[in-house]
Each structure stands twice: as structure tokens, then as C-alpha cells.
Amino acid sequence: MDKFTIPTMAEMAAKGEEPEILFWVGCAGSFDERAQKITRDICKILHHVGIKYAVLGTEESCTGDPAKRAGNEFLFQMQAMTNIQILDGYNIKKIVTGCPHCFNTIKNEYPGLGGNYDVIHHSQLIQQLIDEGKLRAEGGESFKGKKITFHDPCYLGRGNGVYEAPRKALEILDAELVEMKRCKSNGLCCGAGGAQMFKEPEKGVKDINIERIDEALALEPAIIASGCPFCMTMLSDGVKNYNKEQEVKVLDIAEITARANGL
Amino acid sequence: MIAQTLFLLIVIAAVALFTINVRKIIRNINLGRPENRSDRPAERLITMLKVAFGQTKMVKRPVAAILHFFVYAGFIIINLEVLEIIIDGLFGTHRIFSSFLGGGYNFLIGSFEVLAVLVLVGVIAFFARRNFLKLKRFSGTEMTKWPRSDANNILIIEMLLMTAFLIMNSAEYAFIKTHGSVAYASLYGHDPAGTFGSISPTLSSLFSGFSASSLFYIERYAWWFHIIGILAFLNYLPYSKHFHIILAFPNTYYSKLQPKGEFTDMQSVTNEVKAMLDPSYIPLPVAEGSRFGAKDVQDLTWKNLMEAYTCTECGRCTSVCPANITGKLLSPRKIMMDTRDRMEEVGRNIDKHGKDHTDGKALLDDYISREEIWACTTCNACTEACPVNIDPLAIIMELRRFSVMEEAQAPASLNAMLSNVENNGAPWKYSPADRFNWATNN
């Protein structure tokens, strides 16, 4: 991170400049240690391809997604309207998020409250950069022949129909891509959605992340890829549960892309 | 003439009873809150054509999809035959369509018979699957005595109806082939229209050696059994999960068209929040007296309630629900069945005690428990799996909203999360001032 500094909106506005795209980091990406690595890798990718971007830094706040899914519409709308004021204050038009929950909320639920932006998830940004030829998989770690399976985050896949973008990012690696039986529109939740991330599960016979990791591990992958900080936590915990952290890595699409390019 | 009058009375009674029951269902659906689902009509029509007519979501389970398609195609196409039977019954004619369809009539009846056999194959397979294969999808806590017998009733009635149809045709075929037109005319009082069918020539061998009068009575009995059976089945529908054969069409037409991840916004909340943030804000009108979220069926929208009547309890939702798979109490199918049961209870109360009667019960707690609603991951697997676009998640969310906003009752850890969002702008207890630390503490 010493190679470049992360530009904030406040600094940019002070210089009278506007970014091409705002990177919405999200709470997990800001505070969760594991997710912070993904955040930095997204910045590295943005920096690498030379996109003029900025983050809100301390001006960013929770989108309100967990409050809304937990049934607290008041709190959600308070968060949303405050965020919209800030975004509109900086005249933001285009946003990339590091989290499918932030992506879904800003893209789908902010317009009804007056916040209209062109919102993409970071896997879509990576796909666009690959399509435009600005991003390849070269100069870094080789994933050639490695067995990778992709876990669809619910709010990216079923929630918004984004199935191909993250797979596109994996296809250029020349790796061996394997699909779980429950993939794409039939994908199984990691167990964190709907504010489950922040509570203990109800009584049952098994944890959802274990059910999911059983399915992933049955494929004997070297890497389980995902695109969501909450899936990351749930899947990593699942792998740890079987003491398989050495053999199986859980990585975000952004981390894999950054590594493949030696960023 | 007696037969015609009797037939007319039976048809009138069947249609009248059906109308009364359907009106009750419409009344019950209208207990729900208003919601506009009439925008984007072209898109809605396409959704209905694809999902309901084209059964595109059934194919996720190919074997069930093919068998179901047999029954579905049979149901739609054999209805043409019912039209003929009704005309014949009312006017004392016999096989009226044959008089103006000519050679096409044989093709028509031949096709119906093939379909009838396919329907039989489908329903027998379904019956065996339900009763002998013991699929997990057909058990579960909500599959109590009535839902199980309802499913079997439907399959048995369909078996009987199709059998009666085939017996009716093959008995007549056997009559004409063995006893000839003269014997036919003397028993029936008119000449035969001809011999028809694709399956009945083979089936008619079952009746070899039967006397003319036996065949006459078998055919007539099967004819009456078939049509009375269909009218009875029609009147069974409003009490049954089988009502999906009607509601699948409007239900898919009024589907949610937004991305699955987008949850409804609450205008009533927007008014209050905007007024808090901006004192000069003039609130938009909202329905009076409504509570936040849903405690009972009247707090849900008419669409939520229509979906409860549309559910045919196939359990595809529950079989893909991550909470249910891992042994939690939540079952999306149960959410729909409970909503319907409660709605029918409220409807019966209105019939008995008038509109303002309250029985002190509610959908939340008396039917659906808190444990169920809090086990949902909002992953949308249930809505994706439903072949008729039912949205159990929408009901779960309304119950959560009531629980949190009207009662302040959420699991303790969620309350902690909510207060963190409120005070720190993040679901965890971190200071907002530290939010940008990730950029420096590498």
C-alpha cells in the first residue's frame, strides 16, 4: 500500500476534481481484517488500470442493508437518505461496490428514496476491464490448472442475476473451473444473508456454512472463490472447521485478479 | 327429457356453488392491503405466458416436469371434450362435434384418448411417488393429515375421471363393432355417430362377450360419472391446493418484476423519515390506521394472499431453503399454508360474526412462530424455485417488520447490530472515525 495513496472524495472535491467512479467500500471492507485485504486489492486493480477513482473514507456509512433485512425500515431509510445526501453532494454518478449487499441496496433500493446511480459490483468491473483488454492475467501468480470453484453470493446471483461476471474473471486464469451442483440460480446461501451474519443461527441439525462447505470440499478444490465479504467469513469458517486451511484457500475474485497480475 | 332436465339442474347447482366459493376466495384475497401490480402489462403478459402456460420453471426437475406436463396438457385439451359433453347433456344430442367436424372428429377423440392415457401415467406415477417413494419433499411438519389426503384425493379423482372417459369411449366402440347400428339405435334411440378413438379400439377387447344392454349401461354410466365427476372436482378446487390450476395464471401475471434482491420500500416510513430530516416536507398520503409490517393476514397485501391460495404445496421452496435443509423450523411452504389457513379462518369468522369480529388470534405467533421468521437468510432460493412465482420471503419480511418496528422484538444480537448501525454507521461496534484505517494499516 506504500506504492500509492487512496484518494478520498473530500480531497478530490477540494481540488475541484471528480472521479470516474466511486469505490463504495462497505462496512465489512472497512473494518473486517480479512475483508480489508480484498478492499486493498480492489484499489490495487483500480490503480493498476489507471481509473480515476475515490472512496468516501470516514464519510461512508452503512447502506442500511442489514437493518432493512432485519425489518427495521426506519433505520434503513435514515441510513439511505443520509448516504444519498453525501453521494449527491459530491455529484456521484457511478459506483463500484466491494460487497453484493451494498451493491443490491444502492442499486435497487436507493432509487425509491431519490438516489439514482449507475452501480456495479467489483466482479462486473473486473469483467468490463477484461472485455476492454485493460486487464489480463499476467505478471503474477499462475493459477494454471488449479481447481477453482465459485460460490455465488445470493445478492449478486439470484438477487441481481449476475452469474457470468465473476466466472469471466476466473476463466482468463487458465485454471480448472468446477461447479458445485448447487450453483448459479440454484446456489446455496452461505448462511450470512438476511442479517444472519450478526446473530446466532436458530436451532437445527447443522450450520448452513458447513452444509455449503461440504459441497465445495467434495470437489477437492484448491481455491473456493467468492465475491462477498460475508460469504468469505462463512466459507473460511467452514474450511477451518475441517482444518483444511492449508489445502483449500477461500479467496475473493478481486484477490485472485490482483494476484494473477502481481499487484 | 328427464335426463336433460336433471343434467341442467346438476350443471346449474355446480356452477352456482363454485361461484359462491370463488367469490369467498376473492373476498378473502381482498382483505389484504392494496398494492399496484398493474404496471408494465406487456412484461407481465410475457411472464405469465412463459411461467404459467410454458411451465418454464417446472423444468428444474425434469422428470416431474414431463409428468406434470402430461397432466397439464390433458387438463387444458380434454376440456374441449367437456364442452361437447355439456352440449350433448343439455340438448340431448350425442357426440355433437362429430356432425360438423367430419374426419377431424376421429383425430380429436383419438388425441384426447392419448392424452387421457398420458394423464393416467402422470397421476399414477405421482401417486406412487407420494405414497411409496417417501420423498422428503412430501413430508415435513406442515404436511399434516389434510394436505396429504388432499394430494391423494386429487390424484385419485383424476385417475377415476380419465378411466371413466376411456371406458365410455371403448364401451361405445365395442357396442358398435359387436352389436351393430340397429341394436345401437334401438337402445340409444338414435343412430351411432360412428366409431372413434385411438386407444378405445384396443381397450374395447376388454368388453368382448358383453351384451348390448351391458355395454349401453356401462357407456351411459361412465358418461354420467365423467361429467358429474368433473363438476364435483370443480367444486373441490376452492377447498384444495389444486386451486393452483386457476390461480397460477393471474398469480404469475402479477409477479414481482423487480430484481429479487430488491425489497419493497415502505412509503409510510419514508414520510416519517423525511419529516424528521426536513421539517418543511409534506408527507404523501398513506392508508390510515395501518401498522408497520404484518401481524395478521389483513396487514399483508392482496398479492401475498393470492399467493397463499395459489400454492399447491409442492415443496420445491422448502427443499432448497438453506434453513430448512439444515434442520431449522422454517419452511417457506409452511409460511404459505399458514397464511392460507389463517385467511380462511378470518373469512369464516366474517361469515359467522360479521366484518368487525376479532378472534384474538393472528398469523404471527398463532400460526407462524418468531423462530421461523428469524431463521430466514433472505437468499431467495424459495422464490427462484417456485414454479408459479410465489414469494414467501415477502411475507417473512412483513412479519419481521412488525416484530421490529411495532414491538421492538428482535433477537438480542440483532438489536445490538441495529444500535451499532444507528450509533456507529456500521453493524459492528467500531468508531466511524476508524472507518478509513484500512488504507493505512497494511
Side-chain angles (χ1 to χ4, degrees):
Chain A
M1 204 49 50
D2 48 2
K3 282 180 275 181
F4 63 98
T5 52
I6 314 287
T8 64
M9 271 313 305
E11 291 161 7
M12 241 183 215
K15 285 189 272 179
E17 291 177 24
E18 278 190 4
E20 267 178 71
I21 196 162
L22 175 85
F23 172 28
W24 183 277
V25 178
C27 298
S30 300
F31 292 115
D32 180 279
E33 270 188 43
R34 180 70 189 81
Q36 285 177 347
K37 287 187 192 167
I38 304 166
T39 303
R40 288 191 285 263
D41 279 344
I42 294 172
C43 290
K44 285 178 193 168
I45 294 167
L46 288 162
H47 183 77
H48 172 69
V49 297
I51 294 180
K52 194 173 178 188
Y53 75 99
V55 299
L56 284 170
T58 52
E59 288 185 280
E60 192 185 276
S61 185
C62 176
T63 60
D65 162 79
K68 188 169 179 102
R69 313 299 140 186
N72 194 333
E73 184 75 8
F74 273 106
L75 185 51
F76 161 70
Q77 292 198 8
M78 291 291 287
Q79 288 296 120
M81 286 186 203
T82 314
N83 286 328
I84 290 168
Q85 276 182 354
I86 290 174
L87 291 168
D88 287 351
Y90 284 124
N91 193 30
I92 301 296
K93 295 277 178 286
K94 194 164 182 197
I95 299 174
V96 58
T97 74
C99 166
H101 296 267
C102 300
F103 163 66
N104 175 69
T105 304
I106 303 175
K107 174 176 166 285
N108 296 323
E109 291 166 354
Y110 277 22
L113 299 169
N116 294 288
Y117 317 100
D118 178 8
V119 191
I120 55 171
H121 178 254
H122 68 271
S123 65
Q124 293 173 302
L125 176 74
I126 293 170
Q127 180 193 27
Q128 283 171 18
L129 293 171
I130 291 169
D131 289 345
E132 290 164 8
K134 291 182 185 160
L135 198 56
R136 293 179 197 89
E138 55 189 27
E141 189 180 330
S142 169
F143 291 88
K144 194 171 161 54
K146 281 196 179 165
K147 205 186 248 188
I148 305 180
T149 188
F150 181 73
H151 163 84
D152 289 277
C154 302
Y155 279 84
L156 187 64
R158 266 193 302 274
N160 287 288
V162 181
Y163 301 112
E164 293 313 316
R167 287 175 172 80
K168 180 90 183 184
L170 297 172
E171 277 162 17
I172 57 159
L173 302 173
D174 204 12
E176 185 193 347
L177 297 185
V178 284
E179 292 286 1
M180 288 181 263
K181 191 169 172 245
R182 290 177 283 195
C183 67
K184 298 184 181 173
S185 67
N186 298 326
L188 182 76
C189 176
C190 70
Q196 296 293 334
M197 183 70 195
F198 308 102
K199 61 183 266 296
E200 286 303 310
E202 275 64 27
K203 199 164 80 43
V205 295
K206 197 177 185 182
D207 281 337
I208 296 172
N209 65 327
I210 302 298
E211 169 78 14
R212 185 52 162 172
I213 215 71
D214 283 344
E215 187 176 5
L217 292 181
L219 298 170
E220 299 184 331
I223 296 166
I224 301 169
S226 194
C228 170
F230 299 118
C231 296
M232 173 58 67
T233 303
M234 299 307 270
L235 297 172
S236 303
D237 286 353
V239 171
K240 269 183 215 142
N241 181 67
Y242 289 108
N243 297 313
K244 295 252 185 186
E245 306 101 294
Q246 295 308 315
E247 302 99 296
V248 186
K249 302 288 174 205
V250 185
L251 296 173
D252 190 275
I253 292 293
E255 292 178 294
I256 295 173
T257 306
R259 284 191 192 186
N261 287 283
L263 303 177
Chain B
M1 212 45 215
I2 297 170
Q4 280 167 256
T5 316
L6 184 64
F7 187 88
L8 179 67
L9 290 175
I10 291 172
V11 172
I12 289 173
V15 172
L17 187 60
F18 182 70
T19 312
I20 290 170
N21 280 323
V22 167
R23 288 174 72 117
K24 266 189 195 168
I25 288 178
I26 295 171
R27 191 239 3 231
N28 288 354
I29 289 173
N30 283 327
L31 291 173
R33 286 182 185 176
E35 184 192 5
N36 180 20
R37 288 273 178 119
S38 299
D39 55 329
R40 295 144 85 176
E43 210 176 319
R44 296 190 174 282
L45 191 65
I46 290 166
T47 307
M48 181 178 78
L49 290 174
K50 267 170 41 183
V51 178
F53 277 100
Q55 314 220 328
T56 46
K57 289 180 85 180
M58 286 295 290
V59 296
K60 282 208 171 181
R61 291 170 198 261
V63 178
I66 291 168
L67 295 171
H68 183 269
F69 188 78
F70 289 165
V71 183
Y72 161 74
F75 160 75
I76 298 237
I77 299 167
I78 297 175
N79 270 338
L80 290 171
E81 170 67 10
V82 175
L83 182 66
E84 183 187 44
I85 291 181
I86 289 189
I87 296 171
D88 282 347
L90 291 177
F91 298 100
T93 50
H94 187 73
R95 295 192 179 274
I96 180 84
F97 288 177
S98 67
S99 56
F100 54 88
L101 284 178
Y105 187 74
N106 191 35
F107 174 77
L108 202 65
I109 295 296
S111 314
F112 292 160
E113 290 185 352
V114 171
L115 282 167
V117 170
L118 291 177
V119 172
L120 268 177
V121 169
V123 290
I124 290 170
F126 284 149
F127 189 84
R129 190 176 61 149
R130 253 176 208 275
N131 294 285
F132 308 123
L133 283 186
K134 304 278 177 212
L135 277 196
K136 188 171 178 283
R137 186 150 65 91
F138 298 128
S139 56
T141 50
E142 67 275 23
M143 295 309 281
T144 50
K145 201 161 171 273
W146 164 247
R148 282 171 190 250
S149 40
D150 185 19
N152 281 336
N153 293 347
I154 295 159
L155 294 171
I156 292 167
I157 296 169
E158 282 173 348
M159 275 183 231
L160 292 174
L161 290 177
M162 290 304 114
T163 309
F165 175 69
L166 290 170
I167 287 178
M168 171 181 103
N169 282 358
S170 48
E172 184 169 16
Y173 191 94
F175 190 118
I176 298 164
K177 286 289 176 191
T178 24
H179 304 289
S181 331
V182 180
Y184 186 97
S186 75
L187 275 169
Y188 278 87
H190 56 78
D191 287 331
T195 53
F196 308 105
S198 52
I199 310 288
S200 38
T202 316
L203 281 182
S204 65
S205 61
L206 292 172
F207 298 116
S208 66
F210 279 53
S211 71
S213 63
S214 305
L215 289 172
F216 171 75
Y217 284 114
I218 289 170
E219 189 273 332
R220 285 289 85 197
Y221 181 80
W223 187 91
W224 280 98
F225 182 90
H226 182 63
I227 188 62
I228 292 175
I230 281 173
L231 295 173
F233 195 35
L234 179 74
N235 278 291
Y236 181 71
L237 295 183
Y239 299 96
S240 162
K241 76 192 192 79
H242 209 51
F243 206 57
H244 83 288
I245 64 174
I246 295 169
L247 280 187
F249 300 96
N251 196 67
T252 48
Y253 182 84
Y254 294 115
S255 292
K256 171 181 173 179
L257 297 178
Q258 296 86 353
K260 285 186 187 300
E262 179 179 340
F263 290 12
T264 54
D265 60 346
M266 296 175 71
Q267 189 57 49
S268 51
V269 171
T270 311
N271 281 339
E272 299 207 12
V273 173
K274 283 205 170 151
M276 275 167 69
L277 296 174
D278 173 15
S280 66
Y281 174 74
I282 301 153
L284 296 167
V286 194
E288 294 255 333
S290 57
R291 42 167 78 113
F292 295 120
K295 182 186 188 191
D296 209 347
V297 286
Q298 295 94 326
D299 306 323
L300 295 168
T301 72
W302 65 268
K303 183 62 188 1
N304 299 140
L305 300 182
M306 175 188 266
E307 291 181 349
Y309 272 118
T310 309
C311 176
T312 196
E313 301 162 17
C314 71
R316 289 178 183 222
C317 52
T318 295
S319 73
V320 296
C321 172
N324 192 274
I325 288 170
T326 55
K328 277 80 173 176
L329 223 48
L330 174 63
S331 162
R333 169 172 57 189
K334 179 176 176 291
I335 300 290
M336 302 318 297
M337 290 168 71
D338 284 345
T339 303
R340 176 172 177 166
D341 288 348
R342 174 58 186 159
M343 181 171 33
E344 295 200 319
E345 185 176 55
V346 170
R348 281 193 300 274
N349 282 338
I350 292 172
D351 290 341
K352 267 193 214 153
H353 310 289
K355 209 169 168 0
D356 297 322
H357 177 82
T358 46
D359 60 359
K361 289 163 79 179
L363 180 63
L364 185 61
D365 293 335
D366 290 307
Y367 285 81
I368 300 171
S369 67
R370 312 273 165 158
E371 188 176 337
E372 289 165 70
I373 62 168
W374 290 115
C376 176
T377 69
T378 71
C379 76
N380 266 303
C382 55
T383 66
E384 177 71 30
C386 181
V388 289
N389 285 355
I390 291 171
D391 185 356
L393 175 51
I395 296 179
I396 294 172
M397 277 313 302
E398 289 306 317
L399 296 173
R400 280 188 180 187
R401 283 170 170 173
F402 175 81
S403 189
V404 169
M405 289 194 280
E406 291 280 351
E407 296 183 313
Q409 275 195 36
S413 45
L414 280 189
N415 279 332
M417 177 275 285
L418 293 169
S419 91
N420 286 334
V421 171
E422 195 171 345
N423 299 315
N424 309 326
W428 299 286
K429 207 168 185 152
Y430 293 109
S431 162
D434 294 336
R435 198 175 178 99
F436 196 37
N437 290 359
W438 59 267
T440 41
N441 59 2
N442 189 9

